[in-house]
Amino acid sequence: MAAPRDIAALAVFRILIGALMCFGALRFMRNGWIERLYVEPQFHFKYWGFTWVHVPGEVGLYLLYCGIALAALCVAIGLLYRIAIIAFWCMFTYAELMDVTTYLNHYYFISVLTLIMCFLSPHRAWSVDAWRRPPLRTETLPAWQTYWVRFQVSLLYFYAGWAKFETDWLLHAQPLNIWLPPHSGLPLLGPFLEQPWVHFTFSWFAFLFDTLIIGFMLWRPARPWAFIVILVFHYFTHVFFNIGLFPFIMVFSVLIFFEAGWPRKVASRLRLPLPTRSAAVALAPAERWGAWRGGAAVAVVLFCAFQFLMPLRHWYYPGTVLWHEQGMRFSWRVMLREKSGSLEYRVVIGRQDGTRRTVIVSPHRYLTEEQYREMAGQPDLILQLAHHIRDDYLAQGFDTVEVYAESLVSLNGRAAHRMIDPSVDLSRTRLGLARAAWITAPPTEPPPLQRPLRLDRK
């Protein structure tokens, strides 16, 4: 773990991730996503334990994202790296905690990855810091810094593959059977995307890819070929699915599995003016582990153990996580379910004089269409909005408010089922980590297989 390794790979990793995040923040602002996701909605869903995170005003939002872009740029060029990476992590993570409906696995991955980078030293070469402060420069870093990043990248792929080991994905090719046919207009490959055998092939390939690819990246003879497969795989995820920077994040991240000096070799072949590896790299002594380094090592091990166990928490809850969603987030369950349905609230309001009446409340009264599509299949968000509706009616002067959800949800193409017990008053139901008895049991029938549509001439 303390053995010296060429700093080159980690320095390039810092440059690529920093540049990509700077581009991502600028793209976020340019595309008007600040207005669409944070300014236009009247209500924002909170993460459990993070209700203190509030959405600032429009000016504050632009300042936040400008700060993210600036911090990411400083990380990329290695200017005041330690301050920049900590500032980036704080601002980026805060932004991702502002509304649950914007949750994406790769945003969470960036939060975890940049938290790790706060404790690494990839700025000690090829950076403004190293140029301004010669004593900071080094050509090696201890091996544990590379292994820590490798562990986190491996964990994402492993759990993404393990999550696909279930019947909907492997035996019924869902939800790819739903998602791929709309791309049948693509040249060359398009006509095949309507065929069920292609959906099964892609499902099994994705399962094997996510499960095995890191093993091949760790095996030196297979590494170049595995990287080519990664490029092809993420190219198609970029073409088929609107998942933003995810393919680029993963391609940049797996570069850390190559030999530590790979940037120097590439630069040499391209005849770029990059410093070649000096003899000092090979002769550098391993770091000696003192008491504080031992404590730091224990902290890293505990962090890794937490990251390994966190995605397994859904086993505590009965039924499939694809239905009840308890333990779904922060567990690398990437693109596993297609949910659609309808939702409305039955609100019983009363006054002290004993008068009571029932009103039907549409979620659209409080949410944008984009928020509604995200929340309609997620029980904890349905509960959050029920609490907001209760508070809204209490603020209007009503003395008693009961809120019931009429929720019909289709999972991976199945017929719609009730997802919330309509007899449970959600206004009195607490949001937490306990098993949610107010969520109904998942459907037991298998999902149907969608066949290609054919037009018959009469």
Side-chain angles (χ1 to χ4, degrees), residues 5-61:
R5 291 173 59 90
D6 195 328
I7 194 176
L10 273 175
V12 170
F13 177 75
R14 182 205 81 227
I15 294 169
L16 292 176
I17 293 296
L20 187 63
M21 289 302 101
C22 179
F23 169 77
L26 296 175
R27 171 174 168 263
F28 199 91
M29 291 185 283
R30 182 180 180 277
N31 288 348
W33 292 342
I34 285 181
E35 290 81 1
R36 200 179 86 199
L37 298 179
Y38 298 117
V39 176
E40 294 174 7
Q42 306 172 31
F43 174 75
H44 295 282
F45 293 94
K46 305 294 185 184
Y47 288 92
W48 184 83
F50 291 92
T51 54
W52 53 272
V53 175
H54 294 286
V55 179
E58 187 170 357
V59 174
L61 284 165

Side-chain angles (χ1 to χ4, degrees), residues 156-338:
L156 188 157
Y157 276 106
F158 171 74
Y159 277 117
W162 182 249
K164 293 179 176 66
F165 189 70
E166 52 91 39
T167 56
D168 275 19
W169 187 273
L170 294 179
L171 301 185
H172 304 289
Q174 294 290 8
L176 292 186
N177 178 242
I178 298 173
W179 290 343
L180 291 181
H183 298 281
S184 59
L186 290 174
L188 298 178
L189 192 59
F192 295 99
L193 298 179
E194 290 187 319
Q195 303 302 320
W197 67 267
V198 173
H199 310 153
F200 279 98
T201 303
F202 278 29
S203 294
W204 276 90
F205 175 76
F207 163 65
L208 295 173
F209 171 84
D210 284 336
T211 306
L212 302 176
I213 196 63
I214 292 300
F216 286 113
M217 286 299 295
L218 290 171
W219 185 25
R220 183 179 298 178
R223 194 172 294 152
W225 303 106
F227 186 65
I228 292 173
V229 174
I230 289 172
L231 291 177
V232 173
F233 179 85
H234 286 298
Y235 169 75
F236 281 112
T237 61
H238 174 68
V239 170
F240 293 149
F241 311 112
N242 183 21
I243 48 178
L245 299 179
F246 175 72
F248 302 97
I249 293 170
M250 298 318 300
V251 168
F252 291 168
S253 296
V254 296
L255 291 174
I256 204 68
F257 288 88
F258 282 93
E259 295 299 320
W262 73 263
R264 300 184 199 275
K265 294 180 181 177
V266 172
S268 175
R269 290 183 181 180
L270 298 177
R271 298 182 179 179
L272 297 176
L274 202 65
T276 57
R277 186 186 186 198
S278 72
V281 174
L283 299 175
E287 285 190 353
R288 299 185 64 181
W289 289 66
W292 75 269
R293 291 182 187 277
V298 171
V300 170
V301 170
L302 292 175
F303 176 89
C304 293
F306 176 78
Q307 286 294 320
F308 180 79
L309 296 173
M310 179 82 162
L312 301 177
R313 70 192 190 283
H314 71 92
W315 286 351
Y316 170 70
Y317 305 101
T320 172
V321 65
L322 300 182
W323 180 252
H324 58 63
E325 304 262 343
Q326 292 191 285
M328 185 76 174
R329 302 184 196 103
F330 315 119
S331 59
W332 316 121
R333 309 184 72 82
V334 183
M335 302 186 71
L336 288 174
R337 47 98 169 106
E338 170 66 30

Side-chain angles (χ1 to χ4, degrees), residues 415-438:
H417 289 253
R418 287 189 187 278
M419 192 170 65
I420 307 297
D421 185 342
S423 66
V424 174
D425 179 6
L426 297 181
S427 70
R428 300 176 184 276
T429 304
R430 296 185 61 182
L431 179 65
L433 301 181
R435 297 175 182 177
W438 46 276

